[in-house]
């Protein structure tokens, strides 16, 4: 699905504050894999996610998306494959636009936005059904500005927006970090349901080791810009949470 | 009566600029002050082509194209060179002053003996009523087109760009392109205001744009305050209230002048009036969101 070959990222090259965020990363993600990415602050996991999304272009190395070289493509062109949910609930939605408007744009992620009115009765009905599936009671508030909702509601909607159009790769960057425990649980359950239902290839960054243990079928630990551990589904199932805590000793 | 009608018609003419400033200020959240230059540019192009006998539809297209080019220049300076939007606007606006003066050839061109948009579409015997109806017609068409544009998928993408750039990037929208297109549309509208006002006052003057951005900002702020108070969500009604703001602004200025205040003080009064619109809500502790 996505292949990273010898990816290195150096920030501020040649200056006193030079940082090597990623060091010769080789990673191949197969279709349907749900990778949980953990690591301490500064280990390079967010940079890795941003390199996949195209928000950061690598200093060296190549990125292949379904066999196509996308190394130089900026983020707005990688949206053909990639959907994102940000740590900040404000990041993934346009607050002043209505829920419906936000979903309309999400439905056009891989396509051009044309000079035609795209929100019709059929589209409204589709969105209402999808949102009703969340069980948050938001299906009757489609015209409300999305900014008037709580962070948890917005994250759950952002997750749903990511499957409004075809998605090859879903990137979740600490989607629950800004939420209270109850909202976080709702968002993670929504994520799991959507990922299973649409068989999405997913990369989730989290600092919550309980979540890292509970979700996903592959676990990668980053340290110092490198992949420190890479556990497949079987090894991940055998892993106990206490062992993971020990990694961060 | 005529006195208020004049302010009303002028407000309508300037509403084209108000709509443009609404796009940059409220939709894209870019402080664009190319306005002073593109407004005069619109009036200059209008004067040149009207006196050469061009048909009005062609003049409208040419005026809008000229304004769009000015907006694109500001947009390119802002996005490609990463220069602050305010500075980018000042650069283009200042450069436009020379362009306008060179194009016009002199500082003032009267438009007395030409068929203007206001005389071409006359249906009433009374000139003031004709001007009012033409102004209303023109702005209704303009606002309808703009409201349609903002409701299309492309328009949604425009509105989202000023709202959450990380979201739009992730949804396949090129934010830089959007900003350039937004500035082009805004300044095309501003140039149209120049087109209308030049024909309404029957002359083009090289200095007619000085400080006009402030009139536009104040008008949009009035409109925005009304939109906020009334809790208006429909984009079409929002545009209507921006126009109402433009008209109210002209009314206030007209009333001020009618009190016998020296016209030389008009810019100062405009400035203080906008300051009051911006400042009073803050003094009352009701910060605009």
């Amino acid at each position: 699905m996505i292949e990273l070959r010898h990816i290195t990222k150096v920030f501020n090259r040649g200056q006193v504050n030079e940082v090597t965020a990623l060091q010769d990363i080789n990673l191949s993600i197969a279709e349907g894999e749900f990778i949980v990415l953990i690591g301490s602050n500064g280990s390079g996991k967010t940079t890795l996610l941003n390199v996949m999304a195209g928000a950061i272009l690598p200093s060296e190395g190549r990125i292949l998306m379904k066999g196509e070289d996308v190394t130089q493509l900026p983020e707005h062109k990688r949206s053909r494959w990639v959907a994102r949910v940000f740590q900040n609930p404000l990041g993934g939605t346009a607050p002043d636009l209505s829920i419906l408007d936000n979903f309309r744009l999400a439905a056009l992620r891989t396509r051009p936005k044309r000079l035609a009115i795209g929100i019709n009765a059929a589209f409204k009905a589709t969105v209402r059904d999808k949102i009703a599936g969340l069980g948050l009671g938001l299906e009757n508030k489609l015209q409300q500005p999305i900014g008037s909702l709580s962070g948890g509601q917005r994250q759950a909607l952002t997750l749903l927006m990511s499957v409004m159009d075809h998605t090859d790769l879903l990137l979740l960057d600490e989607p629950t970090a800004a939420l209270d425990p109850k909202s976080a649980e709702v968002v993670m359950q929504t994520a799991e349901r959507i990922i299973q239902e649409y068989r999405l290839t997913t990369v989730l960054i989290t600092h919550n080791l309980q979540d890292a243990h509970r979700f996903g079928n592959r676990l990668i630990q980053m340290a110092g810009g490198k992949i420190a551990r890479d556990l497949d589904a079987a090894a991940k199932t055998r892993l106990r949470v206490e062992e993971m805590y020990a990694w961060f000793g | 009566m005529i006195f208020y009608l004049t302010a009303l018609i002028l407000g309508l003419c300037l509403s084209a600029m108000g709509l443009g400033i609404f796009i940059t200020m409220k939709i894209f959240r870019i402080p664009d002050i190319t306005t002073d230059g593109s407004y005069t540019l619109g009036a200059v192009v209008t004067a040149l082509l009207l006196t050469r006998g061009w048909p009005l539809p062609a003049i409208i297209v040419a005026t809008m194209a000229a304004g769009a080019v000015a907006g694109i220049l500001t947009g390119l300076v802002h996005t490609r060179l990463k220069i602050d939007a305010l500075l980018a606007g000042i650069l283009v606006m200042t450069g436009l002053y020379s362009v306008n003066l060179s194009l016009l050839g002199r500082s003032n061109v009267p438009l007395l003996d030409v068929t203007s948009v206001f005389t071409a579409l006359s249906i009433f015997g009374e000139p003031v009523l004709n001007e009012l109806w033409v102004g209303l017609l023109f702005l209704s068409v303009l606002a309808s087109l703009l409201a349609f544009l903002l409701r299309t998928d492309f328009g949604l993408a425009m509105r989202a760009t000023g709202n959450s750039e990380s979201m739009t990037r992730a949804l396949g929208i090129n934010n830089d392109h959007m900003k350039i297109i937004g500035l082009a549309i805004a300044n095309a509208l501003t140039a149209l205001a120049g087109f209308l006002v030049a024909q309404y006052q029957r002359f083009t003057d090289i200095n007619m744009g000085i400080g006009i951005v402030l009139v536009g900002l104040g008008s949009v702020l009035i409109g925005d305050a009304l939109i906020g108070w009334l809790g208006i969500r429909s984009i079409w009604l929002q545009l209507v209230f921006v126009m109402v703001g433009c008209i109210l602004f002209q009314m206030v200025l007209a009333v001020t002048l009618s009190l016998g205040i020296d016209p030389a003080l008009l810019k100062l009064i405009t400035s203080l009036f906008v300051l009051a619109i911006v400042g009073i809500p803050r003094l009352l502790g009701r910060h605009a969101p």
Side-chain angles (χ1 to χ4, degrees):
Chain A
M1 174 52 240
I2 181 170
E3 229 184 304
L4 307 183
R5 291 186 188 160
H6 304 291
I7 294 291
T8 294
K9 178 65 192 180
V10 182
F11 290 109
N12 310 314
R13 179 164 267 171
Q15 294 172 32
V16 282
N17 53 350
E18 180 177 302
V19 181
T20 305
L22 296 176
Q23 228 175 335
D24 195 32
I25 298 273
N26 286 292
L27 178 64
S28 178
I29 303 174
E31 212 169 312
E33 271 189 328
F34 181 175
I35 295 184
V36 179
L37 199 56
I38 56 171
S40 28
N41 292 325
S43 61
K45 53 188 188 323
T46 298
T47 307
L48 185 64
L49 202 79
N50 280 325
V51 162
M52 290 186 205
I56 293 175
L57 298 182
S59 312
E60 285 160 45
R62 294 211 305 149
I63 303 162
L64 303 177
M65 203 78 81
K66 288 183 135 180
E68 198 172 321
D69 192 325
V70 299
T71 313
Q72 294 304 322
L73 286 189
E75 189 178 355
H76 65 87
K77 292 209 170 127
R78 287 212 209 157
S79 66
R80 253 176 66 199
W81 301 273
V82 179
R84 300 190 72 179
V85 177
F86 299 88
Q87 177 175 352
N88 182 350
L90 305 169
T93 50
D96 292 348
L97 297 191
S98 69
I99 295 180
L100 201 57
D101 292 342
N102 273 278
F103 271 72
R104 180 63 200 163
L105 285 173
L108 296 172
R109 197 187 67 242
T110 69
R111 287 176 286 159
K113 287 80 184 157
R114 295 187 195 285
L115 276 175
I117 292 178
I119 297 178
N120 53 28
F123 182 79
K124 268 185 208 169
T126 313
V127 172
R128 188 174 293 123
D129 285 352
K130 290 212 178 211
I131 294 182
L134 284 177
L136 295 173
L138 296 174
E139 56 275 15
N140 295 320
K141 297 180 176 173
L142 296 186
Q143 300 294 351
Q144 205 164 308
I146 212 162
S148 65
L149 307 179
S150 73
Q153 290 172 327
R154 286 172 76 169
Q155 286 300 64
L157 289 178
T158 312
L159 272 166
L160 204 54
M161 279 163 63
S162 66
V163 289
M164 285 298 291
D165 201 351
H166 177 76
T167 302
D168 289 306
L169 178 65
L170 175 63
L171 301 178
L172 309 173
D173 184 5
E174 294 189 59
T176 59
L179 307 180
D180 64 72
K182 201 177 159 203
S183 306
E185 181 59 26
V186 171
V187 168
M188 282 314 296
Q189 277 177 8
T190 308
E192 194 179 30
R193 187 175 61 73
I194 289 172
I195 289 164
Q196 276 175 3
E197 192 178 330
Y198 292 86
R199 301 169 181 282
L200 293 175
T201 312
T202 307
V203 179
L204 163 73
I205 291 184
T206 182
H207 277 295
N208 183 332
L209 294 184
Q210 301 285 351
D211 282 351
H213 185 258
R214 190 170 137 205
F215 299 105
N217 50 28
R218 185 174 171 187
L219 181 69
I220 291 176
Q221 187 206 359
M222 301 269 305
K226 292 180 180 166
I227 293 176
R229 287 187 175 81
D230 187 348
L231 279 64
D232 64 10
K236 186 173 182 302
T237 319
R238 285 195 301 272
L239 185 71
R240 286 178 299 119
V241 186
E242 300 77 58
E243 290 177 68
M244 290 169 67
Y245 280 108
W247 295 349
F248 291 88
Chain B
M1 189 60 199
I2 288 292
F3 170 77
Y4 288 108
L5 272 179
T6 307
L8 174 64
I9 296 163
L10 192 57
L12 274 172
C13 294
L14 288 169
S15 290
M17 171 183 68
L19 295 175
I21 290 184
F22 178 75
I23 290 178
T24 50
M25 185 168 80
K26 282 289 151 194
I27 293 188
F28 282 97
R29 293 169 208 221
I30 296 174
D32 175 38
I33 59 170
T34 318
T35 311
D36 280 18
S38 50
Y39 174 75
T40 313
L41 179 64
V44 166
V45 171
T46 303
L48 287 178
L49 301 183
L50 261 185
T51 49
R52 279 167 180 72
W54 278 44
L56 282 164
I59 299 179
I60 292 173
V61 172
T63 305
M64 290 187 80
V69 169
I72 290 169
L73 283 178
T74 302
L76 285 173
V77 172
H78 173 50
T79 58
R80 293 284 186 274
L81 304 178
K82 309 283 173 217
I83 287 174
D84 186 69
L86 214 50
L87 180 56
I90 293 172
L91 288 171
V92 174
M93 174 192 86
T94 307
L96 276 178
Y97 189 86
S98 295
V99 172
N100 288 334
L101 193 51
S102 306
L103 283 175
L104 203 59
R106 52 197 166 119
S107 61
N108 191 300
V109 169
L111 299 170
L112 296 169
D113 308 324
V114 293
T115 307
S116 76
V117 69
F118 296 103
T119 49
L121 296 170
S122 82
I123 49 171
F124 297 103
E126 182 70 41
V128 179
L129 286 180
N130 269 321
E131 287 159 355
L132 180 61
W133 120 260
V134 171
L136 275 174
L137 175 75
F138 209 89
L139 263 298
S140 308
V141 172
L142 212 55
S144 305
L145 287 174
L146 194 58
F148 172 77
L149 172 75
L150 290 173
R151 287 176 58 226
T152 63
D153 291 337
F154 184 82
L156 285 181
M158 276 175 61
R159 287 154 67 191
T161 300
N163 226 215
S164 176
E165 288 196 25
S166 56
M167 179 245 205
T168 47
R169 257 197 307 275
L171 294 183
I173 295 161
N174 186 332
N175 289 330
D176 285 352
H177 284 181
M178 275 298 170
K179 286 180 194 169
I180 293 170
I181 293 170
L183 284 165
I185 295 174
N187 283 290
L189 289 168
T190 301
L192 262 189
F195 162 88
L196 289 171
V197 172
Q199 294 174 77
Y200 179 58
Q201 64 188 15
R202 296 195 183 85
F203 66 86
T204 289
D205 188 277
I206 193 68
N207 291 324
M208 65 190 273
I210 293 177
I212 201 75
V213 66
L214 212 51
V215 173
L217 281 176
S219 304
V220 173
L221 286 171
I222 295 175
D224 194 51
L226 294 173
I227 291 166
W229 280 331
L230 301 171
I232 291 166
R233 298 238 181 92
S234 140
I235 194 78
W236 159 238
L237 279 177
Q238 289 191 12
L239 297 183
V240 170
F241 273 92
V242 167
M243 297 196 288
V244 170
C246 292
I247 291 163
L248 283 178
F249 196 101
Q250 291 309 313
M251 291 281 181
V252 171
L253 283 190
V255 169
T256 315
L257 281 180
S258 75
L259 297 175
I261 287 171
D262 182 356
L265 296 177
L266 191 59
K267 298 273 185 227
L268 178 63
I269 291 162
T270 308
S271 227
L272 290 173
F273 182 39
V274 175
L275 181 65
I277 299 168
V278 182
I280 287 172
R282 298 202 180 213
L283 285 179
L284 295 175
R286 287 187 320 199
H287 292 265

